[in-house]
């Protein structure tokens, strides 16, 4: 696997702020990465540490919860599981979400069960420098 930096998001963006909060929470530097398999298949992840122990995606939407948002969450869950299995098998997979998205995942639906069963940690971005594990109270 080949790794390069990614320009997936810029400084000051919600994703950059979420990456900084997650890095502080986990105690490791994170940055967007582009990973390329030997066959040329490439995938970008929104945050990964240099050692490949953490791989993360962000779903930071606000507003109404619609099917397109649920589909984005499902796609990012799938991406995290695939990246972990195919490229960084020992990595901790983390999905960082906004409080709006947390309401979707705090319900007893299949997405929340899939995240749990597939060992994808779900953390809620509560503000600059603040993330916490998803609980029913953090999704209120």
């Amino acid at each position: 696997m080949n790794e390069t930096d990614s320009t997936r998001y810029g400084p000051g963006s919600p994703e950059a702020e979420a990456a900084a909060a997650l890095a502080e929470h986990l105690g490791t530097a994170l940055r967007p990465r582009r990973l390329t398999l030997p066959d040329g298949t490439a995938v970008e992840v929104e945050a990964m540490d240099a050692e490949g122990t953490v791989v993360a995606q962000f779903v930071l939407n606000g507003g109404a919860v619609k099917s397109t948002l649920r589909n984005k969450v499902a796609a990012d869950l799938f991406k995290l599981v695939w990246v972990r299995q195919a490229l960084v098998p020992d990595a901790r997979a983390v999905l960082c979400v906004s409080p709006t998205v947390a309401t979707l995942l705090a319900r007893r639906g299949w997405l929340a069960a899939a995240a749990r069963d597939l060992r994808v940690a779900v953390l809620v971005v509560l503000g600059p420098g603040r993330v916490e594990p998803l609980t029913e109270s953090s999704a209120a």
Side-chain angles (χ1 to χ4, degrees):
M1 170 185 70
N2 183 24
E3 291 181 44
T4 57
D5 286 331
S6 169
T7 56
R8 194 152 176 88
Y9 51 81
S13 68
E15 293 83 2
E17 290 178 14
L22 180 60
E24 184 178 327
H25 179 78
L26 297 175
T28 187
L30 300 169
R31 64 179 193 245
R33 303 293 290 163
R34 181 178 176 84
L35 310 172
T36 307
L37 282 79
D39 71 359
T41 301
V43 62
E44 290 191 24
V45 294
E46 292 173 329
M48 185 171 155
D49 65 338
E51 295 79 25
T53 63
V54 175
V55 61
Q57 287 291 114
F58 306 115
V59 184
L60 305 173
N61 303 54
V65 175
K66 297 182 179 184
S67 61
T68 54
L69 182 56
R70 184 184 65 243
N71 294 344
K72 165 85 169 118
V73 170
D76 279 354
L77 279 171
F78 180 74
K79 182 182 197 178
L80 284 167
V81 171
W82 178 74
V83 165
R84 181 180 58 206
Q85 182 172 332
L87 302 170
V88 284
D90 296 325
R92 178 180 181 190
V94 179
L95 183 66
C96 277
V97 300
S98 65
T100 298
V101 177
T103 63
L104 178 68
L105 289 165
R107 300 178 191 151
R108 289 187 179 250
W110 73 269
L111 281 174
R116 180 189 64 242
D117 293 347
L118 294 170
R119 299 179 299 110
V120 176
V122 179
L123 299 177
V124 182
V125 180
L126 297 173
R130 286 191 56 221
V131 297
E132 69 178 37
L134 177 67
T135 62
E136 286 188 30
S137 63
S138 64

PDB file of all heavy atoms in Angstrom, residues 107-132:
ATOM      1  N   ARG A 107     -30.662   5.803  17.568  1.00  0.00           N
ATOM      2  CA  ARG A 107     -31.878   4.989  17.501  1.00  0.00           C
ATOM      3  C   ARG A 107     -31.507   3.511  17.427  1.00  0.00           C
ATOM      4  O   ARG A 107     -30.398   3.147  17.079  1.00  0.00           O
ATOM      5  CB  ARG A 107     -32.686   5.371  16.254  1.00  0.00           C
ATOM      6  CG  ARG A 107     -33.110   6.815  16.255  1.00  0.00           C
ATOM      7  CD  ARG A 107     -33.853   7.140  14.981  1.00  0.00           C
ATOM      8  NE  ARG A 107     -34.038   8.565  14.874  1.00  0.00           N
ATOM      9  CZ  ARG A 107     -34.120   9.220  13.736  1.00  0.00           C
ATOM     10  NH1 ARG A 107     -34.050   8.581  12.600  1.00  0.00           N
ATOM     11  NH2 ARG A 107     -34.291  10.522  13.728  1.00  0.00           N
ATOM     12  N   ARG A 108     -32.483   2.688  17.678  1.00  0.00           N
ATOM     13  CA  ARG A 108     -32.236   1.239  17.610  1.00  0.00           C
ATOM     14  C   ARG A 108     -32.442   0.743  16.181  1.00  0.00           C
ATOM     15  O   ARG A 108     -33.229  -0.164  15.940  1.00  0.00           O
ATOM     16  CB  ARG A 108     -33.166   0.506  18.560  1.00  0.00           C
ATOM     17  CG  ARG A 108     -32.809   0.740  19.991  1.00  0.00           C
ATOM     18  CD  ARG A 108     -33.655  -0.162  20.865  1.00  0.00           C
ATOM     19  NE  ARG A 108     -33.293   0.053  22.237  1.00  0.00           N
ATOM     20  CZ  ARG A 108     -32.646  -0.850  22.958  1.00  0.00           C
ATOM     21  NH1 ARG A 108     -32.323  -1.998  22.452  1.00  0.00           N
ATOM     22  NH2 ARG A 108     -32.343  -0.581  24.208  1.00  0.00           N
ATOM     23  N   GLY A 109     -31.720   1.310  15.253  1.00  0.00           N
ATOM     24  CA  GLY A 109     -31.818   0.897  13.860  1.00  0.00           C
ATOM     25  C   GLY A 109     -30.620   0.061  13.444  1.00  0.00           C
ATOM     26  O   GLY A 109     -29.675  -0.136  14.209  1.00  0.00           O
ATOM     27  N   TRP A 110     -30.656  -0.382  12.205  1.00  0.00           N
ATOM     28  CA  TRP A 110     -29.611  -1.277  11.735  1.00  0.00           C
ATOM     29  C   TRP A 110     -28.260  -0.579  11.614  1.00  0.00           C
ATOM     30  O   TRP A 110     -27.223  -1.228  11.790  1.00  0.00           O
ATOM     31  CB  TRP A 110     -30.017  -1.948  10.430  1.00  0.00           C
ATOM     32  CG  TRP A 110     -29.993  -1.068   9.218  1.00  0.00           C
ATOM     33  CD1 TRP A 110     -31.021  -0.329   8.713  1.00  0.00           C
ATOM     34  CD2 TRP A 110     -28.877  -0.854   8.360  1.00  0.00           C
ATOM     35  NE1 TRP A 110     -30.606   0.349   7.596  1.00  0.00           N
ATOM     36  CE2 TRP A 110     -29.294   0.032   7.344  1.00  0.00           C
ATOM     37  CE3 TRP A 110     -27.565  -1.316   8.329  1.00  0.00           C
ATOM     38  CZ2 TRP A 110     -28.449   0.464   6.322  1.00  0.00           C
ATOM     39  CZ3 TRP A 110     -26.719  -0.888   7.316  1.00  0.00           C
ATOM     40  CH2 TRP A 110     -27.167  -0.007   6.324  1.00  0.00           C
ATOM     41  N   LEU A 111     -28.231   0.723  11.342  1.00  0.00           N
ATOM     42  CA  LEU A 111     -26.932   1.407  11.232  1.00  0.00           C
ATOM     43  C   LEU A 111     -26.176   1.404  12.557  1.00  0.00           C
ATOM     44  O   LEU A 111     -24.970   1.151  12.590  1.00  0.00           O
ATOM     45  CB  LEU A 111     -27.120   2.846  10.745  1.00  0.00           C
ATOM     46  CG  LEU A 111     -27.344   3.028   9.262  1.00  0.00           C
ATOM     47  CD1 LEU A 111     -27.665   4.488   8.951  1.00  0.00           C
ATOM     48  CD2 LEU A 111     -26.150   2.564   8.465  1.00  0.00           C
ATOM     49  N   ALA A 112     -26.882   1.683  13.633  1.00  0.00           N
ATOM     50  CA  ALA A 112     -26.238   1.661  14.951  1.00  0.00           C
ATOM     51  C   ALA A 112     -25.761   0.254  15.292  1.00  0.00           C
ATOM     52  O   ALA A 112     -24.649   0.065  15.807  1.00  0.00           O
ATOM     53  CB  ALA A 112     -27.206   2.175  16.011  1.00  0.00           C
ATOM     54  N   ALA A 113     -26.587  -0.742  14.996  1.00  0.00           N
ATOM     55  CA  ALA A 113     -26.195  -2.129  15.261  1.00  0.00           C
ATOM     56  C   ALA A 113     -25.011  -2.540  14.395  1.00  0.00           C
ATOM     57  O   ALA A 113     -24.088  -3.216  14.860  1.00  0.00           O
ATOM     58  CB  ALA A 113     -27.378  -3.065  15.022  1.00  0.00           C
ATOM     59  N   ALA A 114     -25.007  -2.113  13.136  1.00  0.00           N
ATOM     60  CA  ALA A 114     -23.893  -2.438  12.241  1.00  0.00           C
ATOM     61  C   ALA A 114     -22.596  -1.815  12.736  1.00  0.00           C
ATOM     62  O   ALA A 114     -21.549  -2.471  12.756  1.00  0.00           O
ATOM     63  CB  ALA A 114     -24.207  -1.960  10.826  1.00  0.00           C
ATOM     64  N   ALA A 115     -22.648  -0.550  13.139  1.00  0.00           N
ATOM     65  CA  ALA A 115     -21.440   0.106  13.658  1.00  0.00           C
ATOM     66  C   ALA A 115     -20.895  -0.664  14.856  1.00  0.00           C
ATOM     67  O   ALA A 115     -19.694  -0.937  14.943  1.00  0.00           O
ATOM     68  CB  ALA A 115     -21.734   1.551  14.031  1.00  0.00           C
ATOM     69  N   ARG A 116     -21.772  -1.029  15.755  1.00  0.00           N
ATOM     70  CA  ARG A 116     -21.354  -1.774  16.947  1.00  0.00           C
ATOM     71  C   ARG A 116     -20.772  -3.133  16.566  1.00  0.00           C
ATOM     72  O   ARG A 116     -19.676  -3.498  16.979  1.00  0.00           O
ATOM     73  CB  ARG A 116     -22.549  -1.948  17.880  1.00  0.00           C
ATOM     74  CG  ARG A 116     -22.232  -2.705  19.164  1.00  0.00           C
ATOM     75  CD  ARG A 116     -23.479  -3.052  19.963  1.00  0.00           C
ATOM     76  NE  ARG A 116     -24.322  -3.977  19.198  1.00  0.00           N
ATOM     77  CZ  ARG A 116     -25.561  -3.724  18.787  1.00  0.00           C
ATOM     78  NH1 ARG A 116     -26.145  -2.573  19.071  1.00  0.00           N
ATOM     79  NH2 ARG A 116     -26.254  -4.610  18.095  1.00  0.00           N
ATOM     80  N   ASP A 117     -21.482  -3.888  15.754  1.00  0.00           N
ATOM     81  CA  ASP A 117     -21.062  -5.241  15.411  1.00  0.00           C
ATOM     82  C   ASP A 117     -19.806  -5.268  14.538  1.00  0.00           C
ATOM     83  O   ASP A 117     -19.039  -6.230  14.587  1.00  0.00           O
ATOM     84  CB  ASP A 117     -22.192  -5.991  14.712  1.00  0.00           C
ATOM     85  CG  ASP A 117     -23.371  -6.269  15.636  1.00  0.00           C
ATOM     86  OD1 ASP A 117     -23.224  -6.099  16.869  1.00  0.00           O
ATOM     87  OD2 ASP A 117     -24.441  -6.644  15.123  1.00  0.00           O
ATOM     88  N   LEU A 118     -19.603  -4.235  13.746  1.00  0.00           N
ATOM     89  CA  LEU A 118     -18.420  -4.162  12.879  1.00  0.00           C
ATOM     90  C   LEU A 118     -17.244  -3.442  13.548  1.00  0.00           C
ATOM     91  O   LEU A 118     -16.241  -3.174  12.907  1.00  0.00           O
ATOM     92  CB  LEU A 118     -18.785  -3.475  11.560  1.00  0.00           C
ATOM     93  CG  LEU A 118     -19.772  -4.265  10.703  1.00  0.00           C
ATOM     94  CD1 LEU A 118     -20.272  -3.414   9.544  1.00  0.00           C
ATOM     95  CD2 LEU A 118     -19.152  -5.563  10.207  1.00  0.00           C
ATOM     96  N   ARG A 119     -17.418  -3.135  14.831  1.00  0.00           N
ATOM     97  CA  ARG A 119     -16.359  -2.509  15.634  1.00  0.00           C
ATOM     98  C   ARG A 119     -15.917  -1.148  15.070  1.00  0.00           C
ATOM     99  O   ARG A 119     -14.745  -0.838  14.983  1.00  0.00           O
ATOM    100  CB  ARG A 119     -15.155  -3.436  15.792  1.00  0.00           C
ATOM    101  CG  ARG A 119     -15.455  -4.724  16.494  1.00  0.00           C
ATOM    102  CD  ARG A 119     -14.252  -5.656  16.618  1.00  0.00           C
ATOM    103  NE  ARG A 119     -13.717  -6.052  15.303  1.00  0.00           N
ATOM    104  CZ  ARG A 119     -12.552  -5.640  14.808  1.00  0.00           C
ATOM    105  NH1 ARG A 119     -11.764  -4.862  15.499  1.00  0.00           N
ATOM    106  NH2 ARG A 119     -12.160  -6.035  13.623  1.00  0.00           N
ATOM    107  N   VAL A 120     -16.892  -0.335  14.718  1.00  0.00           N
ATOM    108  CA  VAL A 120     -16.631   1.047  14.314  1.00  0.00           C
ATOM    109  C   VAL A 120     -17.092   1.934  15.463  1.00  0.00           C
ATOM    110  O   VAL A 120     -18.269   1.953  15.814  1.00  0.00           O
ATOM    111  CB  VAL A 120     -17.377   1.415  13.013  1.00  0.00           C
ATOM    112  CG1 VAL A 120     -17.167   2.887  12.674  1.00  0.00           C
ATOM    113  CG2 VAL A 120     -16.920   0.520  11.857  1.00  0.00           C
ATOM    114  N   ALA A 121     -16.144   2.631  16.071  1.00  0.00           N
ATOM    115  CA  ALA A 121     -16.476   3.545  17.158  1.00  0.00           C
ATOM    116  C   ALA A 121     -17.183   4.766  16.580  1.00  0.00           C
ATOM    117  O   ALA A 121     -16.764   5.302  15.553  1.00  0.00           O
ATOM    118  CB  ALA A 121     -15.211   3.970  17.887  1.00  0.00           C
ATOM    119  N   VAL A 122     -18.246   5.198  17.227  1.00  0.00           N
ATOM    120  CA  VAL A 122     -18.960   6.405  16.802  1.00  0.00           C
ATOM    121  C   VAL A 122     -18.753   7.463  17.870  1.00  0.00           C
ATOM    122  O   VAL A 122     -19.094   7.268  19.034  1.00  0.00           O
ATOM    123  CB  VAL A 122     -20.468   6.133  16.582  1.00  0.00           C
ATOM    124  CG1 VAL A 122     -21.184   7.417  16.168  1.00  0.00           C
ATOM    125  CG2 VAL A 122     -20.672   5.032  15.542  1.00  0.00           C
ATOM    126  N   LEU A 123     -18.161   8.589  17.460  1.00  0.00           N
ATOM    127  CA  LEU A 123     -17.906   9.710  18.356  1.00  0.00           C
ATOM    128  C   LEU A 123     -18.653  10.924  17.846  1.00  0.00           C
ATOM    129  O   LEU A 123     -18.733  11.152  16.638  1.00  0.00           O
ATOM    130  CB  LEU A 123     -16.410  10.012  18.441  1.00  0.00           C
ATOM    131  CG  LEU A 123     -15.530   8.870  18.972  1.00  0.00           C
ATOM    132  CD1 LEU A 123     -14.067   9.276  18.936  1.00  0.00           C
ATOM    133  CD2 LEU A 123     -15.921   8.494  20.375  1.00  0.00           C
ATOM    134  N   VAL A 124     -19.177  11.718  18.768  1.00  0.00           N
ATOM    135  CA  VAL A 124     -19.951  12.905  18.422  1.00  0.00           C
ATOM    136  C   VAL A 124     -19.073  14.136  18.629  1.00  0.00           C
ATOM    137  O   VAL A 124     -18.465  14.302  19.689  1.00  0.00           O
ATOM    138  CB  VAL A 124     -21.221  13.016  19.292  1.00  0.00           C
ATOM    139  CG1 VAL A 124     -22.052  14.227  18.879  1.00  0.00           C
ATOM    140  CG2 VAL A 124     -22.045  11.742  19.191  1.00  0.00           C
ATOM    141  N   VAL A 125     -19.004  14.984  17.610  1.00  0.00           N
ATOM    142  CA  VAL A 125     -18.263  16.245  17.690  1.00  0.00           C
ATOM    143  C   VAL A 125     -19.196  17.273  18.311  1.00  0.00           C
ATOM    144  O   VAL A 125     -20.209  17.649  17.721  1.00  0.00           O
ATOM    145  CB  VAL A 125     -17.791  16.705  16.296  1.00  0.00           C
ATOM    146  CG1 VAL A 125     -17.030  18.019  16.403  1.00  0.00           C
ATOM    147  CG2 VAL A 125     -16.943  15.631  15.635  1.00  0.00           C
ATOM    148  N   LEU A 126     -18.855  17.725  19.510  1.00  0.00           N
ATOM    149  CA  LEU A 126     -19.725  18.638  20.256  1.00  0.00           C
ATOM    150  C   LEU A 126     -19.279  20.093  20.187  1.00  0.00           C
ATOM    151  O   LEU A 126     -19.961  20.968  20.693  1.00  0.00           O
ATOM    152  CB  LEU A 126     -19.815  18.189  21.713  1.00  0.00           C
ATOM    153  CG  LEU A 126     -20.439  16.812  21.902  1.00  0.00           C
ATOM    154  CD1 LEU A 126     -20.326  16.364  23.341  1.00  0.00           C
ATOM    155  CD2 LEU A 126     -21.882  16.821  21.442  1.00  0.00           C
ATOM    156  N   GLY A 127     -18.143  20.340  19.590  1.00  0.00           N
ATOM    157  CA  GLY A 127     -17.628  21.697  19.479  1.00  0.00           C
ATOM    158  C   GLY A 127     -16.128  21.646  19.328  1.00  0.00           C
ATOM    159  O   GLY A 127     -15.534  20.568  19.333  1.00  0.00           O
ATOM    160  N   PRO A 128     -15.496  22.798  19.199  1.00  0.00           N
ATOM    161  CA  PRO A 128     -14.038  22.825  19.055  1.00  0.00           C
ATOM    162  C   PRO A 128     -13.354  22.079  20.201  1.00  0.00           C
ATOM    163  O   PRO A 128     -13.598  22.359  21.370  1.00  0.00           O
ATOM    164  CB  PRO A 128     -13.697  24.314  19.082  1.00  0.00           C
ATOM    165  CG  PRO A 128     -14.967  24.992  18.641  1.00  0.00           C
ATOM    166  CD  PRO A 128     -16.083  24.127  19.175  1.00  0.00           C
ATOM    167  N   GLY A 129     -12.563  21.094  19.839  1.00  0.00           N
ATOM    168  CA  GLY A 129     -11.820  20.336  20.834  1.00  0.00           C
ATOM    169  C   GLY A 129     -12.639  19.369  21.663  1.00  0.00           C
ATOM    170  O   GLY A 129     -12.134  18.812  22.629  1.00  0.00           O
ATOM    171  N   ARG A 130     -13.910  19.151  21.302  1.00  0.00           N
ATOM    172  CA  ARG A 130     -14.774  18.286  22.118  1.00  0.00           C
ATOM    173  C   ARG A 130     -15.420  17.183  21.286  1.00  0.00           C
ATOM    174  O   ARG A 130     -16.216  17.455  20.395  1.00  0.00           O
ATOM    175  CB  ARG A 130     -15.885  19.106  22.759  1.00  0.00           C
ATOM    176  CG  ARG A 130     -15.416  19.959  23.900  1.00  0.00           C
ATOM    177  CD  ARG A 130     -16.566  20.557  24.693  1.00  0.00           C
ATOM    178  NE  ARG A 130     -17.485  19.537  25.185  1.00  0.00           N
ATOM    179  CZ  ARG A 130     -18.806  19.677  25.183  1.00  0.00           C
ATOM    180  NH1 ARG A 130     -19.370  20.768  24.703  1.00  0.00           N
ATOM    181  NH2 ARG A 130     -19.583  18.728  25.666  1.00  0.00           N
ATOM    182  N   VAL A 131     -15.037  15.950  21.593  1.00  0.00           N
ATOM    183  CA  VAL A 131     -15.725  14.781  21.050  1.00  0.00           C
ATOM    184  C   VAL A 131     -15.994  13.831  22.205  1.00  0.00           C
ATOM    185  O   VAL A 131     -15.272  13.825  23.203  1.00  0.00           O
ATOM    186  CB  VAL A 131     -14.915  14.053  19.945  1.00  0.00           C
ATOM    187  CG1 VAL A 131     -14.691  14.928  18.739  1.00  0.00           C
ATOM    188  CG2 VAL A 131     -13.607  13.523  20.482  1.00  0.00           C
ATOM    189  N   GLU A 132     -17.055  13.060  22.060  1.00  0.00           N
ATOM    190  CA  GLU A 132     -17.356  12.051  23.085  1.00  0.00           C
ATOM    191  C   GLU A 132     -18.026  10.873  22.414  1.00  0.00           C
ATOM    192  O   GLU A 132     -18.650  11.016  21.357  1.00  0.00           O
ATOM    193  CB  GLU A 132     -18.214  12.617  24.199  1.00  0.00           C
ATOM    194  CG  GLU A 132     -19.617  12.963  23.821  1.00  0.00           C
ATOM    195  CD  GLU A 132     -20.440  13.480  24.997  1.00  0.00           C
ATOM    196  OE1 GLU A 132     -19.898  14.205  25.856  1.00  0.00           O
ATOM    197  OE2 GLU A 132     -21.642  13.165  25.041  1.00  0.00           O
TER     198      GLU A 132
END
